[in-house]
Amino acid sequence: MRVVLPILVPTYLATCLLCGQELPPPIPGEETARPEKVETVTESAEAPKVRVLATLPLGLKDAKPVVPTIERLLLASESAKVPADSMWLIIEHAKRRGVTSIDVGRDGVCQLVERNFGEEGRGDALIVRSGKSVPTSIRTTMLELARQKGVLFGIGRDRLLLGAGADRLRIGVAANRGRSVRTSPSAAFDEYPEEVRKAATALLIAARSLPLLKDVKAVISTEFVDPRQARRLTVLEGRHLITVEDPGRDATLLPPAVAAARMPGRKIVVRDALEWEEIRSYLSAADQDPDVDGHCLISVGSQTYRLSVEVIR
């Protein structure tokens, strides 16, 4: 025991001295991985846990987000576009010369409906043309312009520019089978940008060269009725409200009344005999003569619309 104890004590002291020293620099040519220091953290009930946050690169923490100006936001909003795959134009000619409707469907079919007014303000002629011969460039250009938010929502804000003796233009676009519909207010033709006027004029000229349709029964359109006005018309004034069943979102073919209700303001051409009899039954239920122009109130889902019917004689 007397021999072992003097040997252990110097050995223990030498080991403690070596552990407390720093590692020597590596010898050139001999790169060896140094052992990393391991720190042991003793958790206690009183000591809170500390999380080490990831450090940011130098200069990044001082960066500030760029706040766009109002002018930049307005410019971006006007240049933005809405989704649409079909379009229609309503042109109200000056001095009550008539109304022209041009409809371009998602299948490329273009329809033109023109009504010329007589001296007494009543329609004396209703012409319907249809076909696919309108050049694709004209249709595509007009659709791309009509999709711009600056055209749909930025035109017609200043009512003082609406001239009484000028042609007026209204643009409507739809997407996803009419579930997304947007229309511009009726504004003076000169108020629209020059590129829109040129595209609309080119589309009108091309649509007027389409062949005539001879089997058209009627042309219908709808107008949204405010719920308070619908209640006054039906409850207080006793107007008949005809319920029209909606086949649903996934229907490939829509009845004319439902198609018109999904896209208010759009002209729908009725050519099928059975579909025309259904429209006539709506007018008869509303105490209207089904053989002359008229309108009635229809209910599609939870909304009420005024259905206008123009009969082809």
Side-chain angles (χ1 to χ4, degrees):
M1 187 65 181
R2 292 179 179 179
V3 177
V4 175
L5 184 59
I7 296 175
L8 293 178
V9 170
T11 304
Y12 175 78
L13 295 176
T15 304
C16 294
L17 291 174
L18 290 175
C19 292
Q21 292 179 357
E22 296 290 336
L23 294 177
I27 301 175
E30 297 182 2
E31 296 181 2
T32 57
R34 297 187 177 185
E36 298 181 357
K37 295 183 178 180
V38 179
E39 297 180 3
T40 58
V41 180
T42 305
E43 296 183 1
S44 62
E46 299 178 356
K49 296 181 180 180
V50 179
R51 289 186 178 181
V52 180
L53 300 178
T55 58
L56 297 176
L58 184 61
L60 184 60
K61 60 182 179 180
D62 298 331
K64 297 181 180 180
V66 179
V67 179
T69 61
I70 297 178
E71 292 77 9
R72 186 174 180 181
L73 291 175
L74 291 176
L75 182 61
S77 176
E78 292 181 356
S79 61
K81 295 182 180 181
V82 300
D85 51 20
S86 58
M87 169 197 61
W88 60 93
L89 309 178
I90 306 295
I91 304 174
E92 301 175 10
H93 300 285
K95 300 180 180 179
R96 294 190 57 81
R97 292 183 289 112
V99 177
T100 301
S101 172
I102 308 174
D103 187 286
V104 180
R106 58 182 58 87
D107 54 357
V109 176
C110 181
Q111 290 183 343
L112 179 135
V113 179
E114 279 193 307
R115 182 142 217 170
N116 299 323
F117 295 108
E119 296 180 357
E120 297 179 358
R122 301 184 60 182
D124 56 354
L126 185 62
I127 301 173
V128 180
R129 299 177 181 271
S130 179
K132 288 187 176 182
S133 60
V134 174
T136 306
S137 59
I138 296 178
R139 292 189 286 105
T140 304
T141 301
M142 188 64 233
L143 179 60
E144 290 301 313
L145 292 174
R147 291 176 52 210
Q148 294 182 2
K149 290 185 177 181
V151 174
L152 288 174
F153 309 127
I155 305 298
R157 289 177 295 186
D158 190 355
R159 294 297 178 180
L160 296 178
L161 297 179
L162 292 178
D167 292 352
R168 294 186 180 184
L169 175 64
R170 174 178 295 177
I171 301 176
V173 293
N176 192 18
R177 296 176 183 172
R179 290 293 182 177
S180 176
V181 180
R182 296 173 176 85
T183 57
S184 67
S186 179
F189 193 78
D190 295 338
E191 190 175 345
Y192 284 87
E194 182 180 0
E195 54 184 359
V196 177
R197 299 198 303 267
K198 289 183 178 180
T201 303
L203 182 61
L204 176 61
I205 295 174
R208 281 177 171 171
S209 63
L210 295 172
L212 287 170
L213 289 183
K214 299 181 180 180
D215 58 345
V216 178
K217 309 299 181 182
V219 178
I220 65 174
S221 62
T222 61
E223 177 187 1
F224 177 74
V225 179
D226 186 85
R228 293 172 295 180
Q229 184 183 10
R231 183 179 181 276
R232 179 178 61 82
L233 294 174
T234 56
V235 177
L236 300 181
E237 299 184 12
R239 300 281 185 88
H240 296 282
L241 183 62
I242 295 91
T243 302
V244 179
E245 183 179 358
D246 192 330
R249 183 184 183 90
D250 298 329
T252 55
L253 295 177
L254 296 175
V258 178
R262 289 189 181 184
M263 292 164 280
R266 189 175 189 176
K267 299 284 187 179
I268 305 297
V269 178
V270 181
R271 303 174 62 182
D272 186 76
L274 295 178
E275 294 177 345
W276 171 230
E277 288 300 324
E278 186 177 22
I279 299 297
R280 294 180 79 253
S281 66
Y282 297 158
L283 294 175
S284 299
D287 297 333
Q288 297 288 329
D289 189 350
D291 296 325
V292 299
D293 297 348
H295 63 85
C296 60
L297 296 178
I298 62 173
S299 174
V300 181
S302 60
Q303 306 296 339
T304 302
Y305 303 90
R306 180 179 287 104
L307 177 67
S308 300
V309 181
E310 298 176 272
V311 181
I312 304 295
R313 300 177 182 85

